[in-house]
Amino acid sequence: MSETVNSPAAPGDGGEPRSAAPGVSRRGLLARSGAVGLGAAGVALLPGVVTGAQAEPSTAAGSAPATSASGSPALPAFDPLRPPAVPLAVRSPYLSTWMTADVPAGHWPSFWTGRVTAMTGIAVIDGQNYLFLGAPGVPNHPLSRGLVQRSLTLTATRSRFELEGGGVRLTLTFLSPVEPGDLRRQSMPLSYLFAEVRSLDGKAHDVALYFDISGEWAHGNSGTKIQWAQEQVPASGAGPSLTSLSFTPASPQVLSENGDTASWGTVVWSAANQDGLTWQIGADTDVRPAALSNGKLGNTVDTAQPRAINDRWPVFAFHFDLGSVRNAPRTAALSVGHVREPAVSYLGAQLPPLWKSYWSSWQDMVGYFHADADGARSRTDSLDRRIQRDATAAGGAKYAALCALSLRQAYGATELVSRNGKPWAFLKEISSDGNVSSVDVTYPTIPVFLYTDPEYLRLLLEPLLDYPENGGWPKEFAEHDLGSSYPNASGHNDGNEEDMPVEESANMLLMTAAYLARTDAATAKAFATDHYAILRQWSDYLVANALDPGYQNQTDDFTGFIAHSANLALKGILAIGAMAQVATAVGNAADATRYRATAKDYIGQWVAKAQDTTPDHLKLAYDQPGTWSLKYNGYPDALLGLGLVPAEVAQEEADWYLTQVNQYGIPLDPRHSYTKGDWEMWTAAWLRGHAVSQVLIDTLYDFATATPTRVPFSDWYDTVSGTQSGFQARPVVGGIFALLSLGK
């Protein structure tokens, strides 16, 4: 991790100037078309629609919509919380599109960085145009009406908007599946969009839906030339045939990024064929007016290619003429994906995405994805219900809301690849350093995998263990990451990296022990045996260095290096205890006894060294009396059942934390008012049963639902103001599942 933070563009304003025609900006086109105001400000003028700072967050998870004097909702309802950014298509490090506003009309979706990834939605109801997604300009078709958002429902895998207007209801569902235990389905870098329309007033209404996405999905620089194609994808099994519109950089830079976006690969935008479906690829100022004027698209491909993304802004459009709609719903099914080959490199070798082990082409995969839509909805609905049920039991409704917000973000920073026919998983350190599989970013994420799919954690651990065992890592302690810049796991054979010796060695041991405890005994023994030599090496390093760490960096590196850190020492001591469990798994009783005895001896010394003279809490560092810090590293003691931290020490820490609560949480330590949400939930899990656990949950919920910083869920924020301190869209929000990970 690093202090480097990407600053997002202002949400919804389109970022850089985006020319719709030579000399005419997008804003200029909006003005000329009479649609000025359908940006962040103007949507507030639409009936019943409220945006940005005007929207009051719901006061509790699942609260009912506010009502006006007329009885109609004055504000959209948010269930179970108003997210800081709504996940739309969040499936991989490069398929990560969000809505950074309360309502989709009048705001462009954006990549996690804030760069626009435009998506447009317009409904035509009985001849009247209604905007419901994006902030487009359409020459000669002023979009002065918008569908009214009644509610936004967020589950772990989907975001569902309920919109009304013209006598109909449109339900717009963005589903990014998470498929625990199913590598084939989890490997697909694809996301669904379902639209369902029905009459609200019992009358028949003629309805059409228009969708498009822009070339901005293909590259981080809108001056980049792209090329495109249309093709018909045959039906897969009992599924529908598809129309797929795809586009890719004309000169791909393989295994390179621009603005955290892949500079190679293909964006695939597909619709299930049905009566009334038409499509078109062309300039936005040609395609959108054609749909609204003609009630259909031309089924044509613009031949002026390749050309720059910002050269007459090519869009990829579908128009669904749904005909007369009454009470029975009419539907449209779409998907969007980003496919790349190779996916990553590892020590110079290019690795294919795992999905290539199951399908020979993206066309076959997309066909399967659509054929599997009903099954995906059923499976993810079961997962959503399970998470809501278990999280509510573990921490209440607000905790369940936080888990729902976090799942897609956590999984979406990872992807599955094949290495010599064997599945591996890699993780991108999103928004901080961009490293490949940073150990201290993987570590705080693990609770989500321990709860949903422990074998997925094993796939993340495999390359992290392979590199020091076989790849040329030169140091006695564990590496910080597998490569400085995703997607290239080029290693650090020269030893030049962001060393965190105690931190990363302990993290690797604790992650391994957590995995071993959640797989069967035979698998645990085989895994531990295969990697015992390197795990033992790191354990011995900790025996020599963990009790009183020297001047070292650690995971919260934005706070700086620290010597004699009580929290870092705690992690190292617990990791020695974890090594006793690893030794037990392989049947090495002597090692198990030795490491357990060392951990017990060290924890007694640690309590004496860390105890403040007051004496009602533990210090930040042994040599800093009068200080304190959030001892989130106590969580592995509960997770692994080590029983090392004395109960009275945990009790006094919990009591102390209750005296340090700010509006939106408890600071990491007294040097700053900021905190990290993942560590707060680790602390809540460690101190479960104490009142501070619920306080930590409630205040993190308050931050998530009230923060004015509209970015994908930030884990680093200020507990006084509720604003982002840095980081966004990072997988570490998987740490919010810490309470759930304690269950069997």
Side-chain angles (χ1 to χ4, degrees), residues 58 60-61 80-81 398 401-402 696-706:
S58 56
L81 83 171
K398 291 183 178 181
L402 292 168
L696 287 163
I697 291 167
D698 291 348
T699 52
L700 181 58
Y701 173 91
D702 290 344
F703 160 72
T705 200

Side-chain angles (χ1 to χ4, degrees), residues 56-64 77-84 152 154 395-406 663-666 675 677 680-681 693-707 713-714 717 722 736:
E56 293 294 332
S58 56
T59 56
S63 63
F78 300 100
D79 182 14
L81 83 171
R82 184 231 64 174
L152 167 62
L154 193 80
K398 291 183 178 181
Y399 180 63
L402 292 168
C403 290
L405 179 60
S406 303
Q663 184 75 41
Y664 295 107
I666 300 174
T675 196
E680 288 188 297
M681 292 302 96
S693 182
Q694 193 62 50
V695 168
L696 287 163
I697 291 167
D698 291 348
T699 52
L700 181 58
Y701 173 91
D702 290 344
F703 160 72
T705 200
T707 178
F713 198 6
S714 173
Y717 70 92
I736 286 169

Side-chain angles (χ1 to χ4, degrees), residues 269-327:
W269 174 232
S270 306
N273 287 328
Q274 61 186 65
D275 291 342
L277 174 67
T278 52
W279 58 269
Q280 191 168 339
I281 302 173
D284 60 351
T285 51
D286 294 334
V287 175
R288 291 171 189 153
L292 299 185
S293 296
N294 305 328
K296 62 181 179 179
L297 291 169
N299 294 343
T300 58
V301 176
D302 190 328
T303 59
Q305 62 162 315
R307 72 172 188 256
I309 293 166
N310 60 10
D311 179 0
R312 290 163 289 158
W313 298 96
V315 296
F316 306 82
F318 291 111
H319 184 275
F320 298 84
D321 184 348
L322 300 179
S324 181
V325 175
R326 296 186 70 97
N327 293 331

Side-chain angles (χ1 to χ4, degrees), residues 497-515:
E497 59 131 35
E498 187 182 8
D499 284 349
M500 297 181 180
V502 169
E503 175 75 40
E504 308 299 24
S505 300
N507 290 343
M508 288 301 300
L509 288 161
L510 292 164
M511 287 192 288
T512 299
Y515 165 66

Side-chain angles (χ1 to χ4, degrees), residues 439-447 507 510-511 571 633 636 679 682:
V439 174
D440 67 307
V441 174
T442 305
Y443 178 64
T445 305
I446 65 167
N507 290 343
L510 292 164
M511 287 192 288
K571 173 179 286 187
N633 282 327
W679 298 147
W682 279 46

Side-chain angles (χ1 to χ4, degrees), residues 83 85-90 97-99 154 158-159 161 174 404-405 408:
V86 184
L88 301 182
V90 179
T97 287
W98 305 73
M99 177 58 66
L154 193 80
R158 67 198 75 196
S159 302
F161 298 89
F174 292 87
L405 179 60
R408 280 171 283 178

Side-chain angles (χ1 to χ4, degrees), residues 166-185:
V168 306
R169 171 176 293 155
L170 168 64
T171 302
L172 199 63
T173 303
F174 292 87
L175 170 61
S176 294
V178 174
E179 301 274 10
D182 190 330
L183 293 181
R184 178 178 59 160
R185 290 187 170 102

